């Protein structure tokens, strides 16, 4: 994952992380004047654009192969930290 695809996936990950951070800030601080209502529109636009980009990537036969075929991952950690919950959610 160090090549072009790795960089693409890393960018997608950063985009989603940033969108999640904005959404959580809106939820946590929506009563304050520090977070504007436009945050939801920007997050929605960002996520929808990313969804289109991932869809286009999956339709490209060669480039979407890893996403279609899946990725092997290990969920490891101490007992009772939510590994099973995470797996069930996925």
């Amino acid at each position: 994952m160090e090549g072009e695809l790795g960089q693409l996936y890393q960018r997608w990950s950063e985009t989603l992380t940033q969108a999640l951070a904005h959404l959580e800030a809106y939820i946590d601080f929506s009563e304050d004047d520090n977070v504007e209502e436009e945050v939801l529109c920007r997050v929605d636009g960002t996520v929808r654009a990313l969804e289109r980009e991932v869809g286009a990537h999956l339709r490209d036969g060669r480039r979407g192969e890893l996403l279609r075929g899946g990725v092997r991952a290990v969920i490891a950690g101490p007992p009772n930290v939510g590994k099973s919950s995470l797996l069930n959610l996925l």
Side-chain angles (χ1 to χ4, degrees), residues 1 13 19 37 46 86 89:
M1 300 289 298
S13 174
E37 293 252 346
T46 299
L86 175 62
L89 179 67

Side-chain angles (χ1 to χ4, degrees), residues 17-72:
T17 301
Q18 185 177 26
L20 179 61
H22 283 107
L23 189 59
E24 288 177 350
Y26 180 80
I27 291 169
D28 290 342
F29 305 109
S30 62
E31 299 88 29
D32 300 338
D33 292 332
N34 298 338
V35 180
E36 301 121 12
E37 293 252 346
E38 299 95 37
V39 168
L40 290 179
C41 292
R42 286 195 307 254
V43 167
D44 183 57
T46 299
V47 171
R48 288 183 189 274
L50 184 59
E51 180 182 25
R52 287 189 298 273
E53 188 176 345
V54 169
H57 185 77
L58 289 172
R59 285 187 295 279
D60 178 0
R62 178 185 61 86
R63 298 186 77 180
E65 186 175 339
L66 182 58
L67 284 178
R68 279 191 306 279
V71 176
R72 290 182 183 245

Side-chain angles (χ1 to χ4, degrees), residues 1-14:
M1 300 289 298
E2 295 177 1
E4 182 181 333
L5 283 178
Q7 292 172 1
L8 176 65
Y9 300 156
Q10 182 64 32
R11 184 175 56 79
W12 288 350
S13 174
E14 290 168 2

